[in-house]
Amino acid sequence: MTTGFSSNSCRFADYFVICGLDTESGLEPDELSGNYQWLQKPIDGENFEQSPLRRTFKSKVLAHYPENVEWSPFDQDAVGMLCMPKGLSFRTQADTREPQFHSFIITREDGSRTYGFALTFYEEVTSKQICSAMQTLYHMHNAEQYDILHTPTTPRCPEDQRHLHPHPLNPHPQHTLLPTPAISRLQRFNSYDISRDTLYVSKCICLITPMAFPQACRKVLQQLHQAVSSVHPPPLPLESYVYNVLYEVPLPPAGRSLKFSGVYGPVVCQRPSTAELPLFDFPVSQVFELLGVENVLQLFTCALLEIQILLYSQHYQRLMTVAESITALMFPFQWQHVYVPILPASLLHFLDAPVPYLMGLHANGEGDRTKLELPQEANLCFVDIDNHFIELPEDLPQFPNKLEFIQEISEVLMAFGVSPEGNMHQGQAKHRGFRTADMATDRRNGNLAGSPLNSYLLRENETIARLQALVKRTGVSLEKFIHFPTMGIQPVQCDTEELKMHQLNIRVREVFANRFTQMFADYEVFVIQPSQDKESWFSNRDQMQNFDKASFLSDQPEPYLPFLSRFLETQMFASFIDSKILCHDDEDKEHTLRVFDSRVDKIRMLNVRTPTLRTSMYQKCTNIDEAEKAIEMRVVKIDHTALHPHLLDMKIGQGRYEQGFFPRLQSDVLSTGPVSNKWAKRSAPAQWRRKDRQKQHAEHLYLDNDQREKYIQEARNLGTTIRQPKLSNLSPSVIAQTNWKFVEGLLKECRNKTKRMLVEKMGREAVELGHGEVSITGVEENTLIASLCDLLERIWSHGLQVKQGKSALWSHLLHYQESKEKKEATPAGLERRKSDAGAALPPLKVSLIRDMRHIQNIGEIKTDVGKARAWVRLSMEKKLLSRHLKQLLSDQELTKKLYKRYAFLRCDDEKEQFLYHLLSFNAVDYFCFTNVFTTIMIPYHLLVIPSKKLGGSMFTANPWVCVSGELAETGVLQVPKHTQEITFECQNLGKLTTVQMGHDNSGLYAKWLVECIMVRNEITGHAYKFPCGRWLGKGVDDGSLERVLVGELVTPSTENEDRMCRTPPMQQSPGMMRRFVTISPNKLNTGQIQEGVGEAINGIVKHFHKPEKERGSLTLLLCGEYGLVWALEQVFQHGFKSPRLFKNVFIWDFLEKSQVYFESAEQREVTPDENWQTRVRDFCRFMRAINNTSRNIGKDGKFQMLVCLGARDHLLHHWIALLADCPITVQMYEDIALIKDHSLVNSLIRVLQTLQEFNITLEASLVKGIGI
């Protein structure tokens, strides 16, 4: 993106550079460029065994003019590397020698950028020494090859001869024995004979500019090259043109166009005004042609989520065009991490960087992607530009409204004759076509399956046909739509191709920008302004929340959430909000923010009239035309024309050159500009320029410059340690320092991530305990855990010795598993965990290997990355993540074998701190495994614990249970009466909620006193306790043969080192009632009973105020300890007349008597009013239905069912009113009873009425057998 250009330089170009072969120092092999081979799998042998013409040699900066510019110091290393990233290359007359143009970018340490534009061409080598050196290299090479060929090995079959050709990605054909004729073919191929061949070497001319005008620079350079290669010399010496472009051509002012002269024709460039989208001059159409809309959108999504992106192409310019386009389309956001669109060979170790990056890797000829060895692939987006495919990381969320968005972009592209599918068949000449054979291997490698639009060959025209049909339906005729600009009014000043490029660029960019303006139209409302002064805000920046994510997400349409919740966690979003917080008014804002805010305001104005915000309705872009007009206006009427090139004050004989050779220019005339240039007058001294640059880069605070500079550096360091590799030939110490910065950065990121996750999670648990507001959604929790998995993958792939599989973490675990299984056939080192259930359930063993096996047994998880993520989720749910990883890393032999010395995992202190940060997750309960893998089979262990007082030894009936969870239920399971425990496997039940238990009443002693039931998930180790404490049997207790028990999670109390604090059990209502019950176990007074009802209702109200995905178990709030059923039980038991000795009277008896009274009253037609009749009818209908059920649920079970049904149908308050006025109440209750106190009954009715606004759904186990 061309937002932060490097200075207030008023000049179009800062330097003109010539790079190439330094004949004085001769041929120096470039070992670093040989590193490109390091990336490819070696096929025996070393790089030097490549044919000498294919080797890389060092190039030098031969000259640059002027020597130095104050505001933009010349960086010789960086320019040399990027002008010729692979060093010098040699050709003979037999090879193609077309000039190649490419651009590059140099990012300084303060984040400002300089652009370079280079034209590389071939010149004949005139130096005899160089030619004979090349000849000598060939003699040596051929001798070696001959030796190897004559080493007897088993002869190969003839078709293997094709391996002989030094394939550019696989340049090691030597270990094959060939029939003799092949040797002569080998020598003929790629050889160089000094007497017969002409040797050519690459040379490069380059412009370094403060802003990116690739089209204009390409023209300038091509015309300069043409001047030396054409037969007729140019009108003026070359120096005149170079001088002109360096000193006499200004940058066009914002919103203006400029025309200047090249050697043979005019060059036009233009710059957008401050109200338009920032400058962008690369052809975005090329990106869509190379990749297709679907792939571009996937790549765009990866960039927004700050996933590591590696671009791969044989063409440097393609790497640059794709990188610059993707970052330009992000407006108003800016890429905050490592950005190296062309990665020089000497910086290949940067692919190891455990930070988000966007880098471009040059492909070596026609190699296959499978040969490419990359250190980190778990979270990598790999884009093979030349072959039209893209490999995506797993779990990539969809961009909101993806299909409508693709359709809108496609319409724009088709209007300009660009196919939305990309031009894959651009002919073999232009670039290697997409071969079906390649496609077959790509599909094998899983490269094409990922995206719905990817079966390009099968459906090349289908999408276009579909879009045309769609366009027709919307009533737009394509003929009218394709308006290749002829600009009827006046002739344009630049060629029509260029104007077409500008028009298409602005249309596509407006469509992309419009998505963000729609998505974030009301973002300002959610910005959290800091309460403290700016200085302390800086120092605590990484602890501060600057945006109310939870509220923002709660307003978004459901389908947007997976993408948005991840996007809000990115560095680019945080920086965007920071710059919003730091600007005080419009004058203060950065350009991008100002433009974005003005667009948002416009949308808000529109939405006052037509409210569309916060719906997922797709809003198309409406301001394309005015943006396009602005460009056309500038091109029709050129605002500025620069001075023409003219003769300079040169001595006679200077400025001559030989045709076909680009000369070194006269440095004396090019070293300084004209004294009386009007732009020179306008340009202030360098220190003011520097201040301007600071102003441009500061996020415009009201701070003095020192503070501002300090802030910029701080802001840049947030979340990322290295934005840019230093482009120089790196010594081991520099590499070590870089890696050390990575290690520190990873640790810092780990600290921030764990802190953020804990704060969110603690926040949520605090809410469940009645403190504060909830602030995290399920989507958000998933996002945070996914980003933790990504961080772990980056840590595990830092400094890897040998890459195996796509997930570095899983690969390490597999090595560990293998070494342990070799050492001991019986898994030792297993440690039992203490369990709260006493001897009830034998504790599960703590075993890293066993947890791995659980994951390996899950058939649904196919990939290594998926397995690693599942293992992390399982370990977090079991609160063993830190402990498992500690155990994994305790095998130091293995770690040494797998990792280089500088790797994060071999820095002991940092590793310890990292494990300590992870230990803090043990403070909270996660269900991140159970809630995500909902369809897998899980073994459960169930144990019935009979009462200690009356052991179940005499029990003769056959017991059964049915376990229910949030996701499913088991159906009836028979329990053996002797052992009273079973292990069963079924599909994941989710968090367990109820157990229905009962028996068949057979045998002599069919009475069963059960203390509780324990059920444990054998994979996650979560144990649930279902308290009972009641009899099951005819003639005891309430005569029940079955009961529904409500469960709660048992919190294991493990060793102190393993837990930082005890978690309160999930879903417990606040503890007020527990105090009353312990004070007076039998009798509660009316105040306490009211309190109990209030708390029970309160729990239900809170439950419904949470986001749906966050709600716990409603059953627990209705039927669990101190739930609604218990509270109403206390109401009805208060003042209940004590029955005769040995005879229990139950609330249900009272309800049945009341039912009889109501039914007889109805028949006697004692009818106070219509309402009364309806209520009575409802009450009696429910009572009859419950009494007629085939289930043997006993009197208390029936009361529980009545309360649940009454709550579901919002009838409880009516029934309380009925019963309070019923004569039976007078008979069965004492005068002090709560139910007889009218004021208390009225307040009870009011409290129960609050349930009316909620839609209560009951779990099936609570109402089985009731058909109402």
Side-chain angles (χ1 to χ4, degrees), residues 1 198 269 306 344 417 681 745 845 852 869 906 973 1000 1213:
M1 274 280 307
T198 315
C269 61
E306 298 184 336
K681 271 192 203 133
K845 289 172 179 171
M852 281 185 70
R869 289 187 169 197
R906 288 186 62 187
L973 304 166
D1000 61 0
H1213 56 287

Side-chain angles (χ1 to χ4, degrees), residues 1027-1043:
C1028 176
R1030 307 278 300 262
W1031 282 95
L1032 283 91
K1034 289 281 183 216
V1036 283
D1037 205 330
D1038 64 348
S1040 170
L1041 288 185
E1042 61 175 278
R1043 295 191 185 281

Side-chain angles (χ1 to χ4, degrees), residues 33 38 111 226 291 392 522 568 633 669 863 920 947 957 1013 1093 1145 1163 1268:
S33 292
W38 157 74
Q226 198 184 334
L291 293 172
L392 297 168
D522 48 1
L568 299 189
M633 295 289 291
V669 290
T863 63
S920 58
S947 169
I1013 288 184
V1093 174
V1145 180
Q1163 285 156 15
I1268 300 180

Side-chain angles (χ1 to χ4, degrees), residues 604-782:
R604 287 248 248 340
M605 297 280 291
L606 279 171
N607 282 338
V608 173
R609 297 194 287 281
T610 57
T612 53
L613 279 184
R614 295 193 188 152
T615 70
S616 44
M617 219 170 84
Y618 190 81
Q619 297 291 307
K620 277 187 143 176
C621 182
T622 51
N623 53 343
I624 290 182
D625 293 342
E626 55 186 287
E628 204 175 328
K629 268 201 195 73
I631 290 178
E632 286 168 5
M633 295 289 291
R634 288 197 286 272
V635 181
V636 166
K637 181 176 171 296
I638 298 292
D639 300 300
H640 301 281
T641 305
L643 283 176
H644 283 283
H646 49 86
L647 272 170
L648 299 173
D649 183 11
M650 288 165 71
K651 300 186 181 71
I652 294 176
Q654 283 188 330
R656 289 210 182 140
Y657 61 91
E658 212 179 317
Q659 184 203 336
F661 293 93
F662 201 95
R664 295 207 183 184
L665 304 175
Q666 301 300 318
S667 52
D668 51 349
V669 290
L670 293 176
S671 59
T672 50
V675 185
S676 62
N677 184 345
K678 56 182 179 179
W679 287 301
K681 271 192 203 133
R682 240 183 17 207
S683 63
Q687 74 232 37
W688 292 107
R689 285 221 187 78
R690 207 164 298 115
K691 282 205 172 150
D692 275 344
R693 176 150 109 228
Q694 289 174 351
K695 188 170 167 207
Q696 188 186 0
H697 284 291
E699 318 301 349
H700 304 303
L701 297 169
Y702 283 133
L703 295 170
D704 63 49
N705 270 349
D706 292 342
Q707 282 178 304
R708 182 176 286 153
E709 274 300 283
K710 175 182 160 213
Y711 162 66
I712 296 164
Q713 287 314 319
E714 280 298 302
R716 291 236 143 76
N717 290 335
L718 272 181
T720 174
T721 43
I722 296 188
R723 285 176 60 102
Q724 223 50 40
K726 179 93 185 81
L727 295 169
S728 62
N729 282 327
L730 294 168
S731 63
S733 65
V734 175
I735 293 181
Q737 197 182 350
T738 305
N739 276 304
W740 184 242
K741 280 190 176 167
F742 283 148
V743 168
E744 289 180 325
L746 283 171
L747 191 59
K748 185 173 178 184
E749 193 180 344
C750 177
R751 186 179 61 235
N752 291 342
K753 272 213 168 64
T754 44
K755 190 165 180 179
R756 162 113 171 81
M757 289 170 76
L758 283 175
V759 166
E760 294 288 21
K761 193 75 185 175
M762 293 291 210
R764 191 209 306 189
E765 294 199 345
V767 173
E768 282 166 0
L769 294 169
H771 322 293
E773 276 310 301
V774 73
S775 67
I776 186 170
T777 65
V779 179
E780 232 178 326
E781 176 171 306
N782 256 339

Side-chain angles (χ1 to χ4, degrees), residues 41-311:
K41 291 180 186 167
I43 320 286
D44 310 326
E46 296 299 327
N47 177 35
F48 63 77
E49 286 171 342
Q50 268 191 299
S51 91
L53 278 183
R54 290 285 166 267
R55 290 182 203 166
T56 45
F57 298 94
K58 278 186 185 163
S59 65
K60 296 273 170 67
V61 173
L62 301 177
H64 62 278
Y65 315 98
E67 196 53 41
N68 206 16
V69 171
E70 284 175 284
W71 59 87
S72 173
F74 186 72
D75 185 340
Q76 181 136 344
D77 281 338
V79 173
M81 277 185 185
L82 291 166
C83 278
M84 304 181 98
K86 296 281 285 286
L88 295 172
S89 65
F90 286 90
R91 296 274 189 274
T92 64
Q93 73 286 349
D95 301 305
T96 53
R97 302 187 304 282
E98 283 300 302
Q100 294 290 328
F101 172 80
H102 77 271
S103 35
F104 57 84
I105 188 169
I106 297 173
T107 307
R108 293 204 186 77
E109 280 170 12
D110 67 356
S112 61
R113 293 177 173 182
T114 313
Y115 289 84
F117 300 95
L119 185 73
T120 308
F121 47 89
Y122 285 88
E123 283 183 355
E124 190 179 325
V125 178
T126 49
S127 153
K128 290 279 180 290
Q129 289 100 317
I130 300 286
C131 291
S132 51
M134 184 57 80
Q135 177 80 68
T136 311
L137 283 172
Y138 255 100
H139 285 319
M140 287 159 64
H141 177 68
N142 286 345
E144 277 163 21
Q145 296 296 78
Y146 188 84
D147 288 348
I148 291 162
L149 291 169
H150 280 78
T151 309
T153 57
T154 49
R156 299 278 183 99
C157 55
E159 56 266 49
D160 273 357
Q161 292 174 23
R162 64 201 156 131
H163 291 308
L164 182 70
H165 296 278
H167 188 289
L169 263 191
N170 172 11
H172 312 286
Q174 57 283 6
H175 289 279
T176 46
L177 182 67
L178 297 160
T180 325
I183 297 175
S184 56
R185 190 175 349 143
L186 167 79
Q187 287 168 338
R188 228 177 25 250
F189 181 80
N190 248 343
S191 65
Y192 168 65
D193 180 338
I194 197 162
S195 58
R196 190 186 60 208
D197 295 320
T198 315
L199 191 61
Y200 292 88
V201 68
S202 53
K203 190 176 219 174
C204 164
I205 51 175
C206 166
L207 281 173
I208 304 290
T209 66
M211 289 177 121
F213 290 106
Q215 308 309 319
C217 292
R218 181 195 288 251
K219 279 189 186 161
V220 171
L221 295 171
Q222 282 172 339
Q223 293 185 22
L224 280 170
H225 176 247
Q226 198 184 334
V228 293
S229 50
S230 73
V231 186
H232 307 293
L236 294 167
L238 292 177
E239 281 81 354
S240 296
Y241 300 106
V242 172
Y243 183 89
N244 179 252
V245 83
L246 284 179
Y247 298 114
E248 297 173 330
V249 176
L251 277 175
R256 298 298 167 89
S257 50
L258 168 79
K259 184 181 192 170
F260 60 98
S261 306
V263 183
Y264 296 112
V267 179
V268 173
C269 61
Q270 48 138 355
R271 186 172 155 192
S273 73
T274 49
E276 296 171 64
L277 291 178
L279 171 65
F280 175 74
D281 201 36
F282 290 82
V284 80
S285 61
Q286 200 186 343
V287 181
F288 288 100
E289 280 169 350
L290 289 167
L291 293 172
V293 180
E294 164 86 11
N295 282 342
V296 170
L297 200 53
Q298 299 283 42
L299 170 57
F300 180 64
T301 309
C302 288
L304 289 170
L305 299 179
E306 298 184 336
I307 284 164
Q308 291 181 325
I309 295 172
L310 185 62
L311 308 174

